[in-house]
Amino acid sequence: MTTTETTTSLAALPALRAPFAGGIFAGITTAKDGTHHAVALLPDRGSNLDWQAADQWADALGGTLPTRPVAAMLFANLEDQLRPRQHWTNEQVEDDASCVWDCDFFDGDQYSCLKSLEGSAVAVRLIPLNS
């Protein structure tokens, strides 16, 4: 999970959909290691990118592709900011190295997809929360 160097407190977070960390505040997520992060959806959108190109594109913006839970949160909280099509996540399919998970922002469903196909991408910035 890529994060920025900056941290913020829970009390300092803006309302959902407000400007935050160079994007729009989308909510809070918990990483697998138990750390909590504020999520900012960055304004740029990627199109016609295979998974590796999408991952590099998000990194160049100072962000990352969303995890599956973050993609679901984006759909739940910021659906009107998303294109209604398939978008890459950063999670590879455990038993198939040629596939990753994507999230269809038309209906929120998630599917495994070949990394070599072209799709859309959003980038998120994860800001660690401090106490």
Side-chain angles (χ1 to χ4, degrees):
M1 184 174 280
T2 302
T3 61
T4 64
E5 298 298 318
T6 307
T7 64
T8 192
S9 69
L10 189 60
L13 292 176
L16 279 177
R17 308 174 64 77
F20 177 70
I24 299 171
F25 181 56
I28 297 171
T29 190
T30 303
K32 289 180 181 181
D33 66 4
T35 58
H36 307 292
H37 299 85
V39 178
L41 173 64
L42 300 181
D44 293 350
R45 302 292 181 261
S47 297
N48 304 321
L49 301 168
D50 67 24
W51 179 75
Q52 184 175 12
D55 189 51
Q56 293 169 345
W57 168 84
D59 188 56
L61 294 175
T64 185
L65 296 174
T67 61
R68 292 177 69 196
V70 168
M73 180 176 62
L74 293 174
F75 183 74
N77 293 343
L78 300 176
E79 181 181 358
D80 65 326
Q81 300 293 314
L82 306 168
R83 295 180 189 151
R85 59 182 69 132
Q86 173 267 339
H87 285 69
W88 297 113
T89 74
N90 70 0
E91 294 191 40
Q92 298 187 54
V93 175
E94 285 184 30
D95 58 354
D96 188 348
S98 67
C99 292
V100 295
W101 290 97
D102 66 42
C103 185
D104 187 338
F105 289 146
F106 174 74
D107 57 12
D109 286 346
Q110 296 186 4
Y111 307 94
S112 63
C113 186
L114 288 171
K115 294 178 182 178
S116 59
L117 297 177
E118 289 187 347
S120 298
V122 295
V124 295
R125 187 165 290 141
L126 304 173
I127 311 297
L129 293 175
N130 58 37
S131 50

